[in-house]
Amino acid sequence: MSDDLLARHAARALAAMAADSAWQLPAADSATVCDEDDSWLGLDSDELDAAMRKAESVLNDASQGDQAAGPADGDSDGTAQDLQSMLAKFEAFLAADSGIEGADLAE
């Protein structure tokens, strides 16, 4: 779909929404109602610390559960090699010359 056709389609869709009587923009002088809960803005440092400790313990528990389970295929060396290979490719990408058409990687 061309950009011009897409723009015309979007304009028609917006016009149809604007014509719908149920959809209205708020008046400029009206106060907007915010449905979001802003109570988190009033957290004191103790409440924030408690929430962070709770989140940290949940993450640590999940991490320990993952470590206890071990690799799914029993091949931890393969996973380490895969990560090393990915790291080497990433470093090669960063070191590669680049031009207007992107990175010039020699395979």
Side-chain angles (χ1 to χ4, degrees):
M1 186 178 285
S2 72
D3 290 340
D4 187 44
L5 182 60
L6 186 61
R8 284 189 297 210
H9 181 67
R12 281 191 209 122
L14 286 173
M17 284 190 333
D20 184 9
S21 62
W23 186 80
Q24 296 178 6
L25 289 173
D29 60 342
S30 70
T32 57
V33 177
C34 184
D35 294 331
E36 295 179 10
D37 181 19
D38 292 336
S39 63
W40 64 272
L41 293 171
L43 285 178
D44 64 10
S45 62
D46 294 333
E47 291 173 323
L48 180 59
D49 288 340
M52 294 298 287
R53 279 192 300 274
K54 181 179 178 182
E56 183 180 23
S57 90
V58 168
L59 288 174
N60 285 338
D61 290 346
S63 175
Q64 289 173 357
D66 289 345
Q67 289 175 357
D73 60 0
D75 185 18
S76 62
D77 290 335
T79 303
Q81 289 173 350
D82 290 344
L83 290 174
Q84 289 295 330
S85 173
M86 184 173 53
L87 179 62
K89 289 178 183 178
F90 184 68
E91 288 173 345
F93 172 76
L94 291 177
D97 292 329
S98 62
I100 194 165
E101 294 185 14
D104 190 21
L105 299 173
E107 292 288 324

